[in-house]
Amino acid sequence: MLKPLADRVLVKVDEEETKTKGGILLPDTAQKKSQKGTVIAIGSGKILDNGVRTPLEVKVGDRVLFAKYSGVDIEEEGENYLLLSERDILAIL
């Protein structure tokens, strides 16, 4: 598994529904990208100019909401992950 550096966070992206409420199957191009996920791993924090390392606000296991077009998409063993900066996390759910 990846180990994020500094203020980076690895999030397992929630899978979106592939069907509408009426039962119609959606093609991949029509599905919207999820903005929710679970924190899998975190970095050690950002180092400030004075040499102090600031801890991250999120922890492993937190469910989070993140910015729509942020981070780097990673697919490993059939699972979708997102490596993003902590500042791209909008809220803890």
Side-chain angles (χ1 to χ4, degrees):
M1 183 53 60
L2 296 171
K3 171 69 175 144
L5 300 176
D7 67 336
R8 301 282 191 257
V9 178
L10 183 66
V11 174
K12 183 177 183 293
V13 180
D14 290 350
E15 297 296 322
E16 285 295 316
E17 289 294 321
T18 57
K19 288 184 187 178
T20 64
K21 291 179 184 177
I24 298 172
L25 206 58
L26 295 172
D28 290 339
T29 55
Q31 294 175 17
K32 72 177 192 177
K33 184 179 173 184
S34 177
Q35 290 179 256
K36 296 177 187 174
T38 304
V39 176
I40 300 299
I42 60 173
S44 55
K46 188 174 184 175
I47 298 178
L48 301 177
D49 291 335
N50 61 3
V52 176
R53 188 175 298 270
T54 59
L56 300 180
E57 290 186 52
V58 297
K59 61 185 181 305
V60 174
D62 282 349
R63 298 246 323 119
V64 294
L65 176 70
F66 48 86
K68 192 167 193 161
Y69 298 107
S70 60
V72 176
D73 290 318
I74 300 167
E75 187 174 332
E76 189 171 308
E77 297 178 11
E79 299 287 342
N80 293 320
Y81 298 95
L82 191 64
L83 183 62
L84 51 103
S85 178
E86 185 187 34
R87 72 175 176 264
D88 292 329
I89 295 176
L90 305 174
I92 298 173
L93 302 172

